[in-house]
Amino acid sequence: MVFQEFGDLNPQYDTSSSIKKLALVASIAAAVHYGWALQLSLLTPYIQLLGVPHKWAAFVWLCGPISGLLIQPTIGHYSDCCTSRFGRRRPFIVVGAILLCIAVFLIGFAADIGHMFGDSLGTRTKPRAVALFVLGFWILDISNNLIQGPCRALLADLCRQNEAKLTIGNSLFAFFMAVGNMIGYALGSYVSFYHLFPFTKTQACDIYCANLKTCFICGVFFVIITTTLVVTFVREEALDPSIFPKKGVFHDEEAQLSFFGQLLLVLGNLPKPMKNLLIVTALNWIGWFPFTMFSTDWMGKEVYGGQANGNAQDIQLYQLGVWTGTMGLMLYVVVLGTVSLFMEPLVRMIGNVAKVWGISNFVLAICMVMTTYITKMAIDARQLVDSTASKGLITPPPSVKISSLSLFAILGIPQAVTYSIPFALASIYSNESGTGQGLGLGVLNLAIVIPQMFVAVSSGQLDDMYYDSNLPAFLMGAVAAGLSGTLAFTLLSVNQQSTN
């Protein structure tokens, strides 16, 4: 490896670190994923309330995969070599927390600041607010990566080579991820949450905007508290600068390759099982991203029949749909966390991980197709009400609401598989081929972020071609998930048999 000639770059940590200390570090994941839950559930509708056309809203989501591809590997490299007297990881966590607070301010107060600098309340598009929002959104994703990468590395540092503790630390990290998601979805779906901070509702910021603003303000306190506890009670030994040569850590041309240079070398020599895994993973995430990006927007527009920009009744219906979708996402996270606890017995019962992943992909494909059926149910119900000349706010009947929420809950099952099995397979294939774990997972990350970029670019254009609807992107996801399931059974099952 690159660093082998300079010995152990890890400073000495107390190998008897308590579970409480591991839990304290892992708790930062709750704060980070609280913010991500708000992104997934509320920000796409909020973009449209600011006047961004639906076909362009998808492009905002490009910041996630781009920052994930660039920021995490870069920060990981520099934190490995950081010689700050405060430690290697904690300075990056603190900087990430500061950036997150700035991002939340820009996003939450974009409408108010935009109005202050000239945005008209009577126009649909508010360019100054949109510019502030997009800037804040990019900073938010960068800060999330700045916090989460060093946090995971700090867990590994504390555990050293104790595999049992490392397993516990990662389990705690996953647990707090689920906790943060559940809190984010729960508060995002609480219609009157803005009453906690009444000042958030202003002339430029309606109830929906005020609710989002209040959620993000709570997120600031969440991050500050967890970060302060970690940097106060979890100590790091500073890395000794004398272990580095005078000309830097890397002394030969091969070692001077950056993370991305090493990644390109690995891509050119991938073993066949790893290539098959990347294909299945990429198709799997093309199946997932349309729903993760636009699920609440689908609930607001297709299921509830509302519009982010329209008359008062359309906007109210849209907001009710978004809040119901957020409740669905909370159910989805609860199921995801529960199924994750039983993943090992599930694999033993079905036979091997390839079969489990293949079945879960078919479940995802069926659920994506079912969005069209639920949409048709909702449209038929609205037409029936219109024919009776009823007036007032008409929400979907209970059968449509139950079907929609059930869909969210069922999707937690294949998502639990997607969050675990591909990474386990990547580790297996990396060990067999002699590829380092870091580079192996870095290669797998390409099969996640590139599909996200593809979906972000293509879904907006698909929706615009089909009357501003989310269904074309969902059906594209269904086709990709079906292909992923088929290839999991054919390609990965062969790999598993050869492994066994």
Side-chain angles (χ1 to χ4, degrees):
M1 297 299 293
V2 173
F3 294 116
Q4 281 179 343
E5 303 228 0
F6 306 105
D8 187 3
L9 291 185
N10 291 319
Q12 296 299 312
Y13 291 89
D14 179 9
T15 56
S16 62
S17 297
S18 67
I19 302 301
K20 290 182 180 179
K21 189 174 291 187
L22 296 178
L24 189 60
V25 175
S27 67
I28 292 181
V32 171
H33 283 267
Y34 167 84
W36 271 344
L38 294 176
Q39 282 181 270
L40 292 174
S41 60
L42 297 179
L43 287 192
T44 291
Y46 181 56
I47 294 169
Q48 294 182 67
L49 286 175
L50 293 179
V52 178
H54 186 268
K55 67 176 181 179
W56 297 111
F59 285 94
V60 179
W61 288 95
L62 283 173
C63 62
I66 292 174
S67 63
L69 183 64
L70 300 177
I71 298 299
Q72 278 211 22
T74 304
I75 294 303
H77 166 69
Y78 282 106
S79 70
D80 282 340
C81 306
C82 179
T83 58
S84 167
R85 66 187 180 90
F86 298 107
R88 293 192 297 168
R89 317 298 182 187
R90 294 186 302 167
F92 292 93
I93 294 173
V94 170
V95 171
I98 293 171
L99 286 177
L100 188 144
C101 294
I102 295 172
V104 165
F105 174 79
L106 291 174
I107 293 173
F109 291 86
D112 296 308
I113 299 174
H115 177 58
M116 184 187 306
F117 285 96
D119 281 344
S120 173
L121 298 178
T123 58
R124 177 178 177 180
T125 302
K126 302 169 180 62
R128 295 166 185 82
V130 170
L132 288 169
F133 170 84
V134 172
L135 175 62
F137 194 77
W138 277 80
I139 295 175
L140 180 63
D141 265 69
I142 291 171
S143 65
N144 283 339
N145 283 295
L146 266 171
I147 295 171
Q148 186 163 250
C151 180
R152 281 188 178 274
L154 180 56
L155 275 176
D157 293 341
L158 292 172
C159 296
R160 295 286 287 172
Q161 297 180 359
N162 189 321
E163 292 185 5
K165 281 194 174 180
L166 186 57
T167 300
I168 293 172
N170 282 304
S171 298
L172 288 169
F173 197 90
F175 169 76
F176 280 107
M177 283 172 56
V179 169
N181 281 325
M182 283 188 279
I183 295 174
Y185 291 140
L187 294 184
S189 64
Y190 181 37
V191 179
S192 301
F193 189 56
Y194 74 95
H195 288 304
L196 181 64
F197 300 117
F199 65 86
T200 56
K201 185 176 182 299
T202 64
Q203 186 180 11
C205 187
D206 61 10
I207 293 175
Y208 182 87
C209 169
N211 193 55
L212 175 67
K213 193 188 299 182
T214 302
C215 288
F216 273 122
I217 291 173
C218 290
V220 169
F221 290 116
F222 204 175
V223 169
I224 290 175
I225 291 170
T226 54
T227 302
T228 302
L229 289 173
V230 168
V231 299
T232 302
F233 295 106
V234 180
R235 298 293 181 183
E236 287 187 278
E237 294 292 333
L239 190 64
D240 185 0
S242 65
I243 67 173
F244 299 114
K246 292 182 179 180
K247 293 184 179 180
V249 177
F250 308 113
H251 74 290
D252 57 31
E253 292 184 0
E254 182 178 356
Q256 288 175 11
L257 286 173
S258 67
F259 174 88
F260 300 103
Q262 297 177 51
L263 205 57
L264 289 174
L265 286 178
V266 172
L267 285 172
N269 298 281
L270 280 178
K272 187 175 180 180
M274 195 67 179
K275 291 179 180 178
N276 292 342
L277 175 62
L278 295 183
I279 293 170
V280 177
T281 301
L283 289 170
N284 181 217
W285 280 104
I286 291 175
W288 272 114
F289 279 125
F291 191 80
T292 57
M293 289 180 182
F294 306 116
S295 57
T296 54
D297 186 61
W298 168 67
M299 287 293 292
K301 290 199 310 189
E302 278 88 352
V303 177
Y304 272 70
Q307 293 292 332
N309 294 284
N311 59 44
Q313 182 170 307
D314 286 343
I315 293 174
Q316 189 176 357
L317 280 170
Y318 181 80
Q319 292 174 349
L320 284 173
V322 169
W323 282 320
T324 305
T326 305
M327 288 296 295
L329 287 172
M330 188 169 62
L331 292 173
Y332 149 89
V333 170
V334 171
V335 173
L336 187 161
T338 303
V339 173
S340 297
L341 297 175
F342 298 97
M343 191 59 62
E344 186 178 352
L346 181 64
V347 171
R348 288 201 305 266
M349 181 180 68
I350 293 179
N352 63 51
V353 293
K355 290 181 180 179
V356 173
W357 198 14
I359 293 171
S360 75
N361 284 334
F362 287 132
V363 173
L364 171 60
I366 293 171
C367 287
M368 292 298 95
V369 172
M370 288 300 296
T371 59
T372 62
Y373 178 71
I374 293 172
T375 300
K376 185 177 183 304
M377 288 174 59
I379 292 173
D380 290 345
R382 286 196 293 272
Q383 290 176 345
L384 181 62
V385 171
D386 290 340
S387 67
T388 61
S390 297
K391 295 182 180 180
L393 194 67
I394 307 299
T395 59
S399 60
V400 174
K401 295 177 183 178
I402 293 172
S403 298
S404 303
L405 293 176
S406 298
L407 181 74
F408 278 91
I410 293 170
L411 281 168
I413 300 173
Q415 187 67 287
V417 176
T418 298
Y419 278 169
S420 57
I421 284 179
F423 300 96
L425 288 174
S427 295
I428 293 171
Y429 298 155
S430 295
N431 286 333
E432 291 175 350
S433 63
T435 304
Q437 290 291 329
L439 283 179
L441 293 174
V443 169
L444 183 67
N445 191 54
L446 291 177
I448 298 174
V449 297
I450 292 176
Q452 186 176 358
M453 294 178 188
F454 170 76
V455 172
V457 171
S458 62
S459 60
Q461 304 306 313
L462 281 173
D463 295 353
D464 187 52
M465 290 169 58
Y466 292 93
Y467 307 103
D468 203 25
S469 170
N470 291 295
L471 295 181
F474 289 172
L475 291 177
M476 177 182 70
V479 172
L483 288 172
S484 180
T486 302
L487 293 177
F489 274 103
T490 55
L491 298 180
L492 298 185
S493 291
V494 172
N495 294 339
Q496 286 293 292
Q497 290 170 6
S498 63
T499 299
N500 296 332

